[in-house]
Amino acid sequence: MLEFTHRNPEMRLGEKRRVALVLADIQNEFLEEKGSGTYYALIEDALKKRNVVGNLERLLKTAQELGYFIVHSPHWYYPTDLQWTVPPGAIGHYLGGIGFCGRKDPVDLEGFKGSRADYYEPFKKYLLDGHTCNTSPHKVFGCESNDVIKQLRMRRVEQVIMAGPVANICLESHMRDVIEAGFEVAMVRDAVAAGVNEEGDGYTAAMVNYRFMANAVWTTDEALQRMKAAA
């Protein structure tokens, strides 16, 4: 079997104003340490193994300090989404059964603060700083159903650095949508996590696909170095 060993020319960040940090799912559901019953339980070991929460904070802190655009794509549902009748896939069916990331209404924040859908508390100083763009929610996996790409286009962004806690599902789907829209993409390999099923490790699956599709796969240290140099 022929092994794919081809390497891209090195991705180089251009003007800072053309670059954005794009994150998905920076919410209590995924990052707040709790027992069973939230998505955190599926990825707890992977989060801790790679210091994902710490690396996400390093990316956010550097992007904020250097003035990079930050775009965050949250994930939640409203009661009216329970009207859906199309059968979901395995993870969608599972999440429906654990009360995943519920919101009362698009314009009503009652019960939102501190809920599973709320932004991860230690990161609110970055996400709610008045500069970060928190988009409308994605509803399945990718950003086709929200305004991530619109927000990038309206800022004339051309390159994105991507990270988030669900490497092989939401984040990979966002990556695919962003690549299809014509952006240059670097994925941060130690600022992501994934669950495991009987077929194997979702993290490995994500790394295999990132390697085939992304313009670069960096560590957090490499991403920060490049962000500082470009700024």
Side-chain angles (χ1 to χ4, degrees):
M1 181 185 296
L2 177 66
E3 181 179 344
F4 180 79
T5 59
H6 179 76
R7 296 284 174 180
N8 287 356
E10 182 182 3
M11 178 175 166
R12 297 180 181 274
L13 296 182
E15 297 177 78
K16 182 181 73 174
R17 64 193 179 93
R18 304 288 194 206
V19 180
L21 175 65
V22 176
L23 306 175
D25 304 327
I26 308 302
Q27 297 163 262
N28 290 334
E29 178 76 37
F30 305 93
L31 299 177
E32 185 177 46
E33 190 163 355
K34 285 190 173 179
S36 60
T38 66
Y39 206 102
Y40 178 88
L42 291 177
I43 58 175
E44 178 178 3
D45 291 345
L47 288 170
K48 292 177 177 177
K49 180 178 181 180
R50 297 177 184 87
N51 189 32
V52 172
V53 174
N55 288 331
L56 286 170
E57 179 151 28
R58 294 170 65 205
L59 290 166
L60 281 163
K61 185 173 187 291
T62 299
Q64 185 188 68
E65 289 176 349
L66 297 178
Y68 281 94
F69 291 123
I70 303 172
V71 176
H72 169 229
S73 175
H75 193 170
W76 57 62
Y77 296 105
Y78 306 117
T80 49
D81 294 327
L82 297 175
Q83 297 169 10
W84 296 358
T85 58
V86 175
I91 191 68
H93 188 265
Y94 171 79
L95 296 179
I98 64 171
F100 172 84
C101 274
R103 278 274 307 274
K104 181 179 178 180
D105 186 82
V107 296
D108 190 337
L109 287 174
E110 181 184 347
F112 178 70
K113 184 174 175 57
S115 72
R116 292 161 62 171
D118 196 2
Y119 306 140
Y120 183 52
E121 190 69 35
F123 289 177
K124 285 184 179 180
K125 57 183 177 287
Y126 309 112
L127 300 179
L128 302 178
D129 65 349
H131 177 71
T132 294
C133 172
N134 292 289
T135 69
S136 57
H138 59 277
K139 290 301 187 76
V140 185
F141 306 133
C143 53
E144 187 178 81
S145 61
N146 73 0
D147 58 321
V148 166
I149 290 170
K150 174 72 170 180
Q151 296 294 344
L152 295 172
R153 291 282 189 219
M154 296 305 287
R155 290 163 172 76
R156 298 190 189 277
V157 166
E158 297 170 354
Q159 298 176 305
V160 301
I161 300 164
M162 298 186 71
V166 190
N168 63 316
I169 302 179
C170 292
L171 191 65
E172 182 175 315
S173 295
H174 277 60
M175 178 195 75
R176 289 170 182 262
D177 290 344
V178 169
I179 289 172
E180 292 284 0
F183 296 87
E184 193 176 5
V185 176
M187 306 302 292
V188 186
R189 66 185 308 136
D190 55 356
V192 302
V196 175
N197 64 26
E198 71 276 12
E199 302 290 350
D201 185 350
Y203 179 85
T204 301
M207 292 305 112
V208 169
N209 288 338
Y210 293 178
R211 171 71 176 83
F212 276 116
M213 293 183 283
N215 299 99
V217 183
W218 294 333
T219 64
T220 301
D221 286 342
E222 289 170 334
L224 296 181
Q225 249 180 1
R226 286 165 169 79
M227 291 167 72
K228 290 172 182 176

